[in-house]
Amino acid sequence: MNAEQLRSLSRVLDYLAQDEGSHFENASPDERTNHIYLDVLILQDYLEQQKGEPNP
């Protein structure tokens, strides 16, 4: 991904994280297992790892 794509992904994830985090907190343990918020966290972690690595 180039810098513009990473920036866009970051913005989308930031937007989703707030609402999905609230939904996750209110979800039952069974619903939390496959909740989309877990994917948001994985992708946010990925972006953090990409910082400092050069992108074409």
Side-chain angles (χ1 to χ4, degrees):
M1 276 190 202
N2 65 33
E4 182 181 27
Q5 292 166 326
L6 289 170
R7 205 171 26 256
S8 293
L9 180 57
S10 178
R11 291 181 66 204
V12 169
L13 292 173
D14 288 345
Y15 178 81
L16 290 173
Q18 207 167 15
D19 278 345
E20 292 304 328
S22 294
H23 292 158
F24 182 81
E25 292 298 322
N26 293 323
S28 71
D30 287 340
E31 293 173 323
R32 288 182 180 192
T33 303
N34 292 314
H35 201 282
I36 190 73
Y37 183 63
L38 300 175
D39 297 307
V40 170
L41 294 177
I42 289 168
L43 289 172
Q44 285 179 324
D45 184 52
Y46 168 79
L47 289 177
E48 285 298 316
Q49 292 176 16
Q50 295 305 304
K51 287 183 181 177
E53 290 185 19
N55 294 307

mmCIF file of all heavy atoms in Angstrom, residues 3-52:
data_model
loop_
_atom_site.group_PDB
_atom_site.id
_atom_site.type_symbol
_atom_site.label_atom_id
_atom_site.label_comp_id
_atom_site.label_asym_id
_atom_site.label_seq_id
_atom_site.Cartn_x
_atom_site.Cartn_y
_atom_site.Cartn_z
ATOM 1 N N ALA A 3 1.339 5.458 0.710
ATOM 2 C CA ALA A 3 1.035 6.314 1.867
ATOM 3 C C ALA A 3 -0.408 6.817 1.849
ATOM 4 O O ALA A 3 -1.070 6.859 2.897
ATOM 5 C CB ALA A 3 2.004 7.485 1.920
ATOM 6 N N GLU A 4 -0.907 7.148 0.680
ATOM 7 C CA GLU A 4 -2.284 7.644 0.582
ATOM 8 C C GLU A 4 -3.281 6.551 0.962
ATOM 9 O O GLU A 4 -4.256 6.796 1.678
ATOM 10 C CB GLU A 4 -2.554 8.141 -0.837
ATOM 11 C CG GLU A 4 -3.946 8.721 -1.013
ATOM 12 C CD GLU A 4 -4.201 9.187 -2.430
ATOM 13 O OE1 GLU A 4 -3.593 8.655 -3.375
ATOM 14 O OE2 GLU A 4 -5.025 10.089 -2.579
ATOM 15 N N GLN A 5 -3.042 5.339 0.521
ATOM 16 C CA GLN A 5 -3.925 4.223 0.859
ATOM 17 C C GLN A 5 -3.886 3.915 2.353
ATOM 18 O O GLN A 5 -4.927 3.658 2.967
ATOM 19 C CB GLN A 5 -3.527 2.988 0.054
ATOM 20 C CG GLN A 5 -3.795 3.126 -1.427
ATOM 21 C CD GLN A 5 -3.100 2.054 -2.240
ATOM 22 O OE1 GLN A 5 -2.005 1.615 -1.900
ATOM 23 N NE2 GLN A 5 -3.738 1.631 -3.327
ATOM 24 N N LEU A 6 -2.701 3.946 2.931
ATOM 25 C CA LEU A 6 -2.580 3.709 4.370
ATOM 26 C C LEU A 6 -3.292 4.789 5.168
ATOM 27 O O LEU A 6 -3.955 4.506 6.168
ATOM 28 C CB LEU A 6 -1.109 3.624 4.772
ATOM 29 C CG LEU A 6 -0.370 2.376 4.298
ATOM 30 C CD1 LEU A 6 1.121 2.521 4.553
ATOM 31 C CD2 LEU A 6 -0.921 1.135 4.966
ATOM 32 N N ARG A 7 -3.176 6.017 4.731
ATOM 33 C CA ARG A 7 -3.854 7.123 5.404
ATOM 34 C C ARG A 7 -5.369 6.953 5.323
ATOM 35 O O ARG A 7 -6.082 7.158 6.306
ATOM 36 C CB ARG A 7 -3.410 8.444 4.756
ATOM 37 C CG ARG A 7 -3.509 9.646 5.615
ATOM 38 C CD ARG A 7 -2.874 10.913 5.030
ATOM 39 N NE ARG A 7 -2.786 10.989 3.573
ATOM 40 C CZ ARG A 7 -1.661 10.809 2.865
ATOM 41 N NH1 ARG A 7 -0.530 10.528 3.456
ATOM 42 N NH2 ARG A 7 -1.672 10.912 1.548
ATOM 43 N N SER A 8 -5.862 6.569 4.164
ATOM 44 C CA SER A 8 -7.305 6.347 4.000
ATOM 45 C C SER A 8 -7.796 5.195 4.866
ATOM 46 O O SER A 8 -8.852 5.296 5.504
ATOM 47 C CB SER A 8 -7.637 6.069 2.535
ATOM 48 O OG SER A 8 -7.409 7.207 1.754
ATOM 49 N N LEU A 9 -7.046 4.113 4.886
ATOM 50 C CA LEU A 9 -7.413 2.975 5.732
ATOM 51 C C LEU A 9 -7.448 3.381 7.195
ATOM 52 O O LEU A 9 -8.374 3.030 7.930
ATOM 53 C CB LEU A 9 -6.437 1.818 5.518
ATOM 54 C CG LEU A 9 -6.696 0.561 6.345
ATOM 55 C CD1 LEU A 9 -8.092 0.006 6.109
ATOM 56 C CD2 LEU A 9 -5.636 -0.481 6.038
ATOM 57 N N SER A 10 -6.481 4.149 7.612
ATOM 58 C CA SER A 10 -6.432 4.629 8.990
ATOM 59 C C SER A 10 -7.660 5.470 9.332
ATOM 60 O O SER A 10 -8.249 5.308 10.403
ATOM 61 C CB SER A 10 -5.154 5.432 9.212
ATOM 62 O OG SER A 10 -5.111 5.940 10.511
ATOM 63 N N ARG A 11 -8.051 6.340 8.429
ATOM 64 C CA ARG A 11 -9.222 7.186 8.671
ATOM 65 C C ARG A 11 -10.500 6.362 8.783
ATOM 66 O O ARG A 11 -11.339 6.615 9.657
ATOM 67 C CB ARG A 11 -9.356 8.224 7.565
ATOM 68 C CG ARG A 11 -8.240 9.269 7.609
ATOM 69 C CD ARG A 11 -8.392 10.312 6.541
ATOM 70 N NE ARG A 11 -9.596 11.081 6.829
ATOM 71 C CZ ARG A 11 -10.297 11.745 5.910
ATOM 72 N NH1 ARG A 11 -9.922 11.743 4.657
ATOM 73 N NH2 ARG A 11 -11.366 12.424 6.253
ATOM 74 N N VAL A 12 -10.661 5.373 7.926
ATOM 75 C CA VAL A 12 -11.846 4.511 7.969
ATOM 76 C C VAL A 12 -11.877 3.726 9.280
ATOM 77 O O VAL A 12 -12.916 3.629 9.932
ATOM 78 C CB VAL A 12 -11.884 3.567 6.749
ATOM 79 C CG1 VAL A 12 -12.948 2.490 6.910
ATOM 80 C CG2 VAL A 12 -12.116 4.355 5.475
ATOM 81 N N LEU A 13 -10.733 3.190 9.667
ATOM 82 C CA LEU A 13 -10.679 2.429 10.908
ATOM 83 C C LEU A 13 -10.954 3.294 12.123
ATOM 84 O O LEU A 13 -11.649 2.861 13.053
ATOM 85 C CB LEU A 13 -9.323 1.736 11.034
ATOM 86 C CG LEU A 13 -9.067 0.632 10.023
ATOM 87 C CD1 LEU A 13 -7.635 0.147 10.125
ATOM 88 C CD2 LEU A 13 -10.053 -0.502 10.170
ATOM 89 N N ASP A 14 -10.421 4.510 12.138
ATOM 90 C CA ASP A 14 -10.704 5.422 13.244
ATOM 91 C C ASP A 14 -12.199 5.716 13.343
ATOM 92 O O ASP A 14 -12.757 5.773 14.439
ATOM 93 C CB ASP A 14 -9.929 6.726 13.087
ATOM 94 C CG ASP A 14 -8.453 6.570 13.341
ATOM 95 O OD1 ASP A 14 -8.031 5.540 13.902
ATOM 96 O OD2 ASP A 14 -7.701 7.499 12.962
ATOM 97 N N TYR A 15 -12.829 5.875 12.191
ATOM 98 C CA TYR A 15 -14.264 6.149 12.145
ATOM 99 C C TYR A 15 -15.057 4.958 12.698
ATOM 100 O O TYR A 15 -15.978 5.123 13.502
ATOM 101 C CB TYR A 15 -14.678 6.448 10.698
ATOM 102 C CG TYR A 15 -16.145 6.698 10.515
ATOM 103 C CD1 TYR A 15 -16.699 7.951 10.797
ATOM 104 C CD2 TYR A 15 -16.992 5.699 10.052
ATOM 105 C CE1 TYR A 15 -18.048 8.186 10.625
ATOM 106 C CE2 TYR A 15 -18.338 5.925 9.877
ATOM 107 C CZ TYR A 15 -18.860 7.172 10.169
ATOM 108 O OH TYR A 15 -20.205 7.402 10.010
ATOM 109 N N LEU A 16 -14.673 3.760 12.287
ATOM 110 C CA LEU A 16 -15.387 2.553 12.714
ATOM 111 C C LEU A 16 -15.121 2.192 14.172
ATOM 112 O O LEU A 16 -16.006 1.654 14.842
ATOM 113 C CB LEU A 16 -14.984 1.369 11.840
ATOM 114 C CG LEU A 16 -15.465 1.372 10.407
ATOM 115 C CD1 LEU A 16 -14.833 0.210 9.652
ATOM 116 C CD2 LEU A 16 -16.971 1.288 10.357
ATOM 117 N N ALA A 17 -13.927 2.452 14.638
ATOM 118 C CA ALA A 17 -13.513 1.994 15.962
ATOM 119 C C ALA A 17 -14.423 2.503 17.074
ATOM 120 O O ALA A 17 -14.748 1.750 17.995
ATOM 121 C CB ALA A 17 -12.069 2.394 16.237
ATOM 122 N N GLN A 18 -14.836 3.739 16.994
ATOM 123 C CA GLN A 18 -15.643 4.301 18.067
ATOM 124 C C GLN A 18 -16.996 3.598 18.192
ATOM 125 O O GLN A 18 -17.355 3.108 19.259
ATOM 126 C CB GLN A 18 -15.841 5.799 17.839
ATOM 127 C CG GLN A 18 -16.056 6.564 19.090
ATOM 128 C CD GLN A 18 -15.940 8.061 18.846
ATOM 129 O OE1 GLN A 18 -15.967 8.539 17.721
ATOM 130 N NE2 GLN A 18 -15.825 8.808 19.902
ATOM 131 N N ASP A 19 -17.723 3.511 17.089
ATOM 132 C CA ASP A 19 -19.041 2.856 17.122
ATOM 133 C C ASP A 19 -18.930 1.363 17.385
ATOM 134 O O ASP A 19 -19.672 0.812 18.204
ATOM 135 C CB ASP A 19 -19.786 3.078 15.810
ATOM 136 C CG ASP A 19 -20.492 4.405 15.742
ATOM 137 O OD1 ASP A 19 -20.653 5.054 16.796
ATOM 138 O OD2 ASP A 19 -20.892 4.805 14.635
ATOM 139 N N GLU A 20 -18.017 0.725 16.686
ATOM 140 C CA GLU A 20 -17.901 -0.721 16.843
ATOM 141 C C GLU A 20 -17.383 -1.086 18.231
ATOM 142 O O GLU A 20 -17.751 -2.128 18.777
ATOM 143 C CB GLU A 20 -17.013 -1.319 15.746
ATOM 144 C CG GLU A 20 -17.628 -1.252 14.365
ATOM 145 C CD GLU A 20 -18.993 -1.919 14.270
ATOM 146 O OE1 GLU A 20 -19.257 -2.906 14.985
ATOM 147 O OE2 GLU A 20 -19.807 -1.445 13.460
ATOM 148 N N GLY A 21 -16.547 -0.240 18.814
ATOM 149 C CA GLY A 21 -16.082 -0.477 20.181
ATOM 150 C C GLY A 21 -17.233 -0.463 21.162
ATOM 151 O O GLY A 21 -17.313 -1.303 22.068
ATOM 152 N N SER A 22 -18.151 0.478 20.970
ATOM 153 C CA SER A 22 -19.347 0.547 21.827
ATOM 154 C C SER A 22 -20.218 -0.687 21.647
ATOM 155 O O SER A 22 -20.728 -1.251 22.620
ATOM 156 C CB SER A 22 -20.168 1.793 21.502
ATOM 157 O OG SER A 22 -19.459 2.949 21.828
ATOM 158 N N HIS A 23 -20.419 -1.096 20.394
ATOM 159 C CA HIS A 23 -21.226 -2.292 20.133
ATOM 160 C C HIS A 23 -20.573 -3.522 20.750
ATOM 161 O O HIS A 23 -21.259 -4.381 21.300
ATOM 162 C CB HIS A 23 -21.399 -2.517 18.629
ATOM 163 C CG HIS A 23 -22.232 -1.478 17.960
ATOM 164 N ND1 HIS A 23 -22.147 -1.236 16.623
ATOM 165 C CD2 HIS A 23 -23.152 -0.615 18.438
ATOM 166 C CE1 HIS A 23 -22.991 -0.278 16.299
ATOM 167 N NE2 HIS A 23 -23.608 0.133 17.393
ATOM 168 N N PHE A 24 -19.258 -3.602 20.654
ATOM 169 C CA PHE A 24 -18.520 -4.734 21.206
ATOM 170 C C PHE A 24 -18.696 -4.806 22.717
ATOM 171 O O PHE A 24 -18.930 -5.876 23.271
ATOM 172 C CB PHE A 24 -17.041 -4.610 20.841
ATOM 173 C CG PHE A 24 -16.196 -5.752 21.332
ATOM 174 C CD1 PHE A 24 -16.157 -6.947 20.632
ATOM 175 C CD2 PHE A 24 -15.423 -5.628 22.471
ATOM 176 C CE1 PHE A 24 -15.365 -8.001 21.065
ATOM 177 C CE2 PHE A 24 -14.625 -6.673 22.915
ATOM 178 C CZ PHE A 24 -14.608 -7.869 22.215
ATOM 179 N N GLU A 25 -18.592 -3.660 23.385
ATOM 180 C CA GLU A 25 -18.740 -3.621 24.841
ATOM 181 C C GLU A 25 -20.118 -4.084 25.282
ATOM 182 O O GLU A 25 -20.262 -4.674 26.349
ATOM 183 C CB GLU A 25 -18.469 -2.207 25.367
ATOM 184 C CG GLU A 25 -17.030 -1.774 25.228
ATOM 185 C CD GLU A 25 -16.061 -2.637 26.022
ATOM 186 O OE1 GLU A 25 -16.399 -3.044 27.149
ATOM 187 O OE2 GLU A 25 -14.978 -2.917 25.496
ATOM 188 N N ASN A 26 -21.131 -3.814 24.471
ATOM 189 C CA ASN A 26 -22.508 -4.176 24.828
ATOM 190 C C ASN A 26 -22.904 -5.560 24.333
ATOM 191 O O ASN A 26 -23.997 -6.027 24.637
ATOM 192 C CB ASN A 26 -23.482 -3.138 24.271
ATOM 193 C CG ASN A 26 -23.315 -1.799 24.946
ATOM 194 O OD1 ASN A 26 -23.058 -1.725 26.143
ATOM 195 N ND2 ASN A 26 -23.431 -0.730 24.183
ATOM 196 N N ALA A 27 -22.042 -6.207 23.579
ATOM 197 C CA ALA A 27 -22.365 -7.519 23.004
ATOM 198 C C ALA A 27 -22.186 -8.626 24.037
ATOM 199 O O ALA A 27 -21.395 -8.510 24.977
ATOM 200 C CB ALA A 27 -21.462 -7.785 21.802
ATOM 201 N N SER A 28 -22.907 -9.697 23.813
ATOM 202 C CA SER A 28 -22.756 -10.879 24.670
ATOM 203 C C SER A 28 -21.416 -11.546 24.353
ATOM 204 O O SER A 28 -20.841 -11.316 23.291
ATOM 205 C CB SER A 28 -23.898 -11.857 24.412
ATOM 206 O OG SER A 28 -23.744 -12.448 23.138
ATOM 207 N N PRO A 29 -20.927 -12.377 25.252
ATOM 208 C CA PRO A 29 -19.662 -13.081 24.982
ATOM 209 C C PRO A 29 -19.676 -13.867 23.663
ATOM 210 O O PRO A 29 -18.687 -13.899 22.952
ATOM 211 C CB PRO A 29 -19.502 -14.005 26.187
ATOM 212 C CG PRO A 29 -20.231 -13.291 27.289
ATOM 213 C CD PRO A 29 -21.406 -12.635 26.614
ATOM 214 N N ASP A 30 -20.804 -14.482 23.343
ATOM 215 C CA ASP A 30 -20.904 -15.223 22.084
ATOM 216 C C ASP A 30 -20.792 -14.294 20.879
ATOM 217 O O ASP A 30 -20.148 -14.633 19.887
ATOM 218 C CB ASP A 30 -22.220 -15.999 21.999
ATOM 219 C CG ASP A 30 -22.239 -17.218 22.905
ATOM 220 O OD1 ASP A 30 -21.154 -17.683 23.311
ATOM 221 O OD2 ASP A 30 -23.347 -17.698 23.207
ATOM 222 N N GLU A 31 -21.425 -13.135 20.953
ATOM 223 C CA GLU A 31 -21.381 -12.174 19.850
ATOM 224 C C GLU A 31 -19.991 -11.575 19.687
ATOM 225 O O GLU A 31 -19.600 -11.204 18.583
ATOM 226 C CB GLU A 31 -22.391 -11.050 20.072
ATOM 227 C CG GLU A 31 -23.838 -11.496 19.999
ATOM 228 C CD GLU A 31 -24.813 -10.405 20.391
ATOM 229 O OE1 GLU A 31 -24.508 -9.623 21.310
ATOM 230 O OE2 GLU A 31 -25.885 -10.341 19.771
ATOM 231 N N ARG A 32 -19.242 -11.488 20.764
ATOM 232 C CA ARG A 32 -17.900 -10.907 20.710
ATOM 233 C C ARG A 32 -16.913 -11.783 19.945
ATOM 234 O O ARG A 32 -15.936 -11.289 19.405
ATOM 235 C CB ARG A 32 -17.363 -10.668 22.124
ATOM 236 C CG ARG A 32 -18.040 -9.522 22.821
ATOM 237 C CD ARG A 32 -17.436 -9.316 24.177
ATOM 238 N NE ARG A 32 -18.086 -8.206 24.852
ATOM 239 C CZ ARG A 32 -17.628 -7.647 25.935
ATOM 240 N NH1 ARG A 32 -16.521 -8.096 26.498
ATOM 241 N NH2 ARG A 32 -18.264 -6.635 26.493
ATOM 242 N N THR A 33 -17.164 -13.082 19.897
ATOM 243 C CA THR A 33 -16.230 -14.021 19.279
ATOM 244 C C THR A 33 -15.863 -13.627 17.850
ATOM 245 O O THR A 33 -14.696 -13.671 17.473
ATOM 246 C CB THR A 33 -16.822 -15.448 19.291
ATOM 247 O OG1 THR A 33 -17.110 -15.797 20.633
ATOM 248 C CG2 THR A 33 -15.863 -16.446 18.698
ATOM 249 N N ASN A 34 -16.824 -13.244 17.059
ATOM 250 C CA ASN A 34 -16.593 -12.901 15.651
ATOM 251 C C ASN A 34 -16.962 -11.457 15.340
ATOM 252 O O ASN A 34 -17.290 -11.136 14.197
ATOM 253 C CB ASN A 34 -17.383 -13.851 14.738
ATOM 254 C CG ASN A 34 -16.855 -15.251 14.795
ATOM 255 O OD1 ASN A 34 -15.645 -15.466 14.736
ATOM 256 N ND2 ASN A 34 -17.743 -16.229 14.928
ATOM 257 N N HIS A 35 -16.908 -10.605 16.327
ATOM 258 C CA HIS A 35 -17.324 -9.214 16.146
ATOM 259 C C HIS A 35 -16.355 -8.469 15.237
ATOM 260 O O HIS A 35 -15.139 -8.660 15.295
ATOM 261 C CB HIS A 35 -17.393 -8.511 17.514
ATOM 262 C CG HIS A 35 -18.249 -7.292 17.509
ATOM 263 N ND1 HIS A 35 -17.818 -6.101 16.999
ATOM 264 C CD2 HIS A 35 -19.510 -7.094 17.938
ATOM 265 C CE1 HIS A 35 -18.784 -5.207 17.131
ATOM 266 N NE2 HIS A 35 -19.824 -5.796 17.694
ATOM 267 N N ILE A 36 -16.886 -7.619 14.393
ATOM 268 C CA ILE A 36 -16.079 -6.840 13.436
ATOM 269 C C ILE A 36 -15.059 -5.944 14.143
ATOM 270 O O ILE A 36 -14.008 -5.625 13.585
ATOM 271 C CB ILE A 36 -17.001 -6.016 12.498
ATOM 272 C CG1 ILE A 36 -16.219 -5.402 11.343
ATOM 273 C CG2 ILE A 36 -17.733 -4.920 13.274
ATOM 274 C CD1 ILE A 36 -15.799 -6.395 10.312
ATOM 275 N N TYR A 37 -15.338 -5.561 15.363
ATOM 276 C CA TYR A 37 -14.404 -4.720 16.117
ATOM 277 C C TYR A 37 -13.044 -5.393 16.275
ATOM 278 O O TYR A 37 -12.008 -4.726 16.246
ATOM 279 C CB TYR A 37 -14.992 -4.370 17.486
ATOM 280 C CG TYR A 37 -14.121 -3.451 18.305
ATOM 281 C CD1 TYR A 37 -13.837 -2.159 17.866
ATOM 282 C CD2 TYR A 37 -13.577 -3.861 19.517
ATOM 283 C CE1 TYR A 37 -13.032 -1.315 18.613
ATOM 284 C CE2 TYR A 37 -12.783 -3.030 20.269
ATOM 285 C CZ TYR A 37 -12.510 -1.748 19.814
ATOM 286 O OH TYR A 37 -11.713 -0.914 20.555
ATOM 287 N N LEU A 38 -13.033 -6.701 16.394
ATOM 288 C CA LEU A 38 -11.762 -7.426 16.502
ATOM 289 C C LEU A 38 -10.934 -7.264 15.225
ATOM 290 O O LEU A 38 -9.710 -7.143 15.282
ATOM 291 C CB LEU A 38 -12.025 -8.903 16.801
ATOM 292 C CG LEU A 38 -12.779 -9.188 18.102
ATOM 293 C CD1 LEU A 38 -13.089 -10.668 18.214
ATOM 294 C CD2 LEU A 38 -12.005 -8.675 19.300
ATOM 295 N N ASP A 39 -11.598 -7.213 14.079
ATOM 296 C CA ASP A 39 -10.905 -6.981 12.812
ATOM 297 C C ASP A 39 -10.376 -5.551 12.735
ATOM 298 O O ASP A 39 -9.285 -5.318 12.210
ATOM 299 C CB ASP A 39 -11.829 -7.272 11.632
ATOM 300 C CG ASP A 39 -12.239 -8.731 11.597
ATOM 301 O OD1 ASP A 39 -11.339 -9.593 11.629
ATOM 302 O OD2 ASP A 39 -13.449 -9.005 11.531
ATOM 303 N N VAL A 40 -11.146 -4.611 13.250
ATOM 304 C CA VAL A 40 -10.693 -3.215 13.295
ATOM 305 C C VAL A 40 -9.407 -3.132 14.118
ATOM 306 O O VAL A 40 -8.436 -2.486 13.701
ATOM 307 C CB VAL A 40 -11.790 -2.289 13.875
ATOM 308 C CG1 VAL A 40 -11.256 -0.898 14.159
ATOM 309 C CG2 VAL A 40 -12.988 -2.223 12.935
ATOM 310 N N LEU A 41 -9.372 -3.799 15.257
ATOM 311 C CA LEU A 41 -8.171 -3.780 16.102
ATOM 312 C C LEU A 41 -6.970 -4.414 15.400
ATOM 313 O O LEU A 41 -5.846 -3.891 15.495
ATOM 314 C CB LEU A 41 -8.444 -4.506 17.418
ATOM 315 C CG LEU A 41 -9.466 -3.854 18.350
ATOM 316 C CD1 LEU A 41 -9.688 -4.735 19.573
ATOM 317 C CD2 LEU A 41 -9.048 -2.459 18.731
ATOM 318 N N ILE A 42 -7.194 -5.503 14.692
ATOM 319 C CA ILE A 42 -6.107 -6.163 13.961
ATOM 320 C C ILE A 42 -5.535 -5.230 12.903
ATOM 321 O O ILE A 42 -4.310 -5.101 12.759
ATOM 322 C CB ILE A 42 -6.613 -7.482 13.323
ATOM 323 C CG1 ILE A 42 -6.858 -8.515 14.413
ATOM 324 C CG2 ILE A 42 -5.628 -7.999 12.268
ATOM 325 C CD1 ILE A 42 -7.617 -9.744 13.940
ATOM 326 N N LEU A 43 -6.410 -4.571 12.166
ATOM 327 C CA LEU A 43 -5.938 -3.666 11.117
ATOM 328 C C LEU A 43 -5.278 -2.416 11.690
ATOM 329 O O LEU A 43 -4.298 -1.911 11.119
ATOM 330 C CB LEU A 43 -7.092 -3.291 10.188
ATOM 331 C CG LEU A 43 -7.570 -4.437 9.295
ATOM 332 C CD1 LEU A 43 -8.839 -4.035 8.557
ATOM 333 C CD2 LEU A 43 -6.482 -4.856 8.331
ATOM 334 N N GLN A 44 -5.769 -1.916 12.802
ATOM 335 C CA GLN A 44 -5.112 -0.780 13.442
ATOM 336 C C GLN A 44 -3.709 -1.165 13.907
ATOM 337 O O GLN A 44 -2.771 -0.388 13.763
ATOM 338 C CB GLN A 44 -5.948 -0.248 14.608
ATOM 339 C CG GLN A 44 -7.152 0.539 14.157
ATOM 340 C CD GLN A 44 -7.979 1.046 15.318
ATOM 341 O OE1 GLN A 44 -8.124 0.380 16.337
ATOM 342 N NE2 GLN A 44 -8.547 2.231 15.149
ATOM 343 N N ASP A 45 -3.569 -2.376 14.425
ATOM 344 C CA ASP A 45 -2.258 -2.867 14.832
ATOM 345 C C ASP A 45 -1.338 -2.981 13.618
ATOM 346 O O ASP A 45 -0.160 -2.619 13.683
ATOM 347 C CB ASP A 45 -2.396 -4.212 15.539
ATOM 348 C CG ASP A 45 -1.081 -4.722 16.075
ATOM 349 O OD1 ASP A 45 -0.393 -3.962 16.794
ATOM 350 O OD2 ASP A 45 -0.732 -5.882 15.773
ATOM 351 N N TYR A 46 -1.857 -3.469 12.518
ATOM 352 C CA TYR A 46 -1.086 -3.567 11.281
ATOM 353 C C TYR A 46 -0.569 -2.192 10.858
ATOM 354 O O TYR A 46 0.602 -2.041 10.492
ATOM 355 C CB TYR A 46 -1.954 -4.175 10.175
ATOM 356 C CG TYR A 46 -1.348 -4.052 8.803
ATOM 357 C CD1 TYR A 46 -0.340 -4.906 8.381
ATOM 358 C CD2 TYR A 46 -1.790 -3.066 7.918
ATOM 359 C CE1 TYR A 46 0.219 -4.791 7.120
ATOM 360 C CE2 TYR A 46 -1.239 -2.937 6.662
ATOM 361 C CZ TYR A 46 -0.236 -3.797 6.268
ATOM 362 O OH TYR A 46 0.318 -3.661 5.017
ATOM 363 N N LEU A 47 -1.432 -1.195 10.908
ATOM 364 C CA LEU A 47 -1.026 0.158 10.520
ATOM 365 C C LEU A 47 0.056 0.700 11.447
ATOM 366 O O LEU A 47 0.979 1.372 10.990
ATOM 367 C CB LEU A 47 -2.228 1.100 10.504
ATOM 368 C CG LEU A 47 -3.220 0.886 9.374
ATOM 369 C CD1 LEU A 47 -4.394 1.846 9.531
ATOM 370 C CD2 LEU A 47 -2.557 1.054 8.027
ATOM 371 N N GLU A 48 -0.053 0.403 12.709
ATOM 372 C CA GLU A 48 0.984 0.843 13.663
ATOM 373 C C GLU A 48 2.334 0.211 13.312
ATOM 374 O O GLU A 48 3.366 0.861 13.397
ATOM 375 C CB GLU A 48 0.590 0.480 15.097
ATOM 376 C CG GLU A 48 -0.473 1.368 15.679
ATOM 377 C CD GLU A 48 -0.041 2.823 15.777
ATOM 378 O OE1 GLU A 48 1.114 3.082 16.199
ATOM 379 O OE2 GLU A 48 -0.832 3.701 15.425
ATOM 380 N N GLN A 49 2.312 -1.039 12.889
ATOM 381 C CA GLN A 49 3.541 -1.720 12.512
ATOM 382 C C GLN A 49 4.123 -1.152 11.229
ATOM 383 O O GLN A 49 5.340 -1.179 11.030
ATOM 384 C CB GLN A 49 3.290 -3.223 12.325
ATOM 385 C CG GLN A 49 2.969 -3.931 13.612
ATOM 386 C CD GLN A 49 2.619 -5.397 13.375
ATOM 387 O OE1 GLN A 49 2.899 -5.948 12.320
ATOM 388 N NE2 GLN A 49 1.999 -6.018 14.360
ATOM 389 N N GLN A 50 3.265 -0.623 10.366
ATOM 390 C CA GLN A 50 3.711 -0.070 9.092
ATOM 391 C C GLN A 50 4.381 1.297 9.250
ATOM 392 O O GLN A 50 5.151 1.705 8.396
ATOM 393 C CB GLN A 50 2.558 0.056 8.107
ATOM 394 C CG GLN A 50 1.957 -1.272 7.698
ATOM 395 C CD GLN A 50 2.983 -2.232 7.149
ATOM 396 O OE1 GLN A 50 3.694 -1.931 6.208
ATOM 397 N NE2 GLN A 50 3.094 -3.401 7.761
ATOM 398 N N LYS A 51 4.090 1.977 10.320
ATOM 399 C CA LYS A 51 4.727 3.280 10.554
ATOM 400 C C LYS A 51 6.222 3.070 10.657
ATOM 401 O O LYS A 51 6.709 2.179 11.321
ATOM 402 C CB LYS A 51 4.193 3.932 11.840
ATOM 403 C CG LYS A 51 2.792 4.442 11.694
ATOM 404 C CD LYS A 51 2.348 5.124 12.961
ATOM 405 C CE LYS A 51 0.918 5.619 12.803
ATOM 406 N NZ LYS A 51 0.423 6.217 14.030
ATOM 407 N N GLY A 52 6.951 3.889 9.972
ATOM 408 C CA GLY A 52 8.399 3.783 10.008
ATOM 409 C C GLY A 52 8.954 2.899 8.914
ATOM 410 O O GLY A 52 10.130 2.947 8.618
#
